[in-house]
Amino acid sequence: MRIGDLAAATGASARSLRYYEEQGLLASVRSPGGQRGYPHAAVERVGLIRSLLAAGLTSATIRDVLPCVADESIRTPWLADRLGDELTRVEGQIADLHRTRDVLAELVENYKINGTAETVLSTNQA
DNA sequence: CTTCTTACA
DNA sequence: TGTAAGAA
């Protein structure tokens, strides 16, 4: 499929898809006219890339880690450590989000009761 | 009409 | 990342 089709199928802009390729995250074949071509499997590939990017992994990290998803043969011990570090980091992010959620939930509850957040705000300032 | 590259906000 | 310009 062409870049426009992949963009429509993944939600990523054509700009991003070219950028992923430039970063070595996504491969493509060129038609005689220079047009990029992608296999249908690219849809899943892009989905994973976007998830990892959204989770905070850098392009460089994804570049190193992504190939082991397809080739189990290239899984090395240092790669496992690499993934372990990312897992730890993401778990930390989840913990932070839980705290943020609690703060927002309490704020919302106070609005329901008082129609204002004065209680929470004044409490936290004290 | 769609994509390509390059370059700028 | 988005968008513009000129070419294919």
Side-chain angles (χ1 to χ4, degrees):
Chain A
M1 58 176 98
R2 294 191 305 176
I3 198 170
D5 303 318
L6 185 57
T10 62
S13 65
R15 173 80 164 82
S16 294
L17 295 177
R18 296 194 189 94
Y19 182 67
Y20 296 161
E21 182 174 326
E22 190 176 278
Q23 297 305 298
L25 309 182
L26 182 65
S28 74
V29 295
R30 296 299 184 119
S31 69
Q35 301 246 290
R36 265 170 271 247
Y38 305 90
H40 290 108
V43 177
E44 282 190 8
R45 174 96 175 184
V46 173
L48 179 58
I49 292 173
R50 297 189 83 195
S51 295
L52 263 19
L53 243 22
L57 303 225
T58 64
S59 297
T61 299
I62 297 175
R63 184 190 309 140
D64 298 333
V65 162
L66 214 157
C68 82
V69 174
D71 293 324
E72 296 180 37
S73 61
I74 64 175
R75 290 179 184 173
T76 61
W78 67 267
L79 198 55
D81 288 342
R82 199 103 180 59
L83 288 169
D85 290 342
E86 294 305 325
L87 175 60
T88 298
R89 191 180 55 65
V90 172
E91 289 176 332
Q93 281 189 270
I94 292 174
D96 288 339
L97 286 172
H98 279 168
R99 298 189 193 86
T100 300
R101 180 209 57 185
D102 291 343
V103 171
L104 289 173
E106 189 182 327
L107 223 38
V108 170
E109 284 309 305
N110 279 293
Y111 265 103
K112 286 181 180 177
I113 299 172
N114 311 311
T116 176
E118 280 180 47
T119 304
V120 175
L121 295 177
S122 58
T123 298
N124 291 336
Q125 285 176 44

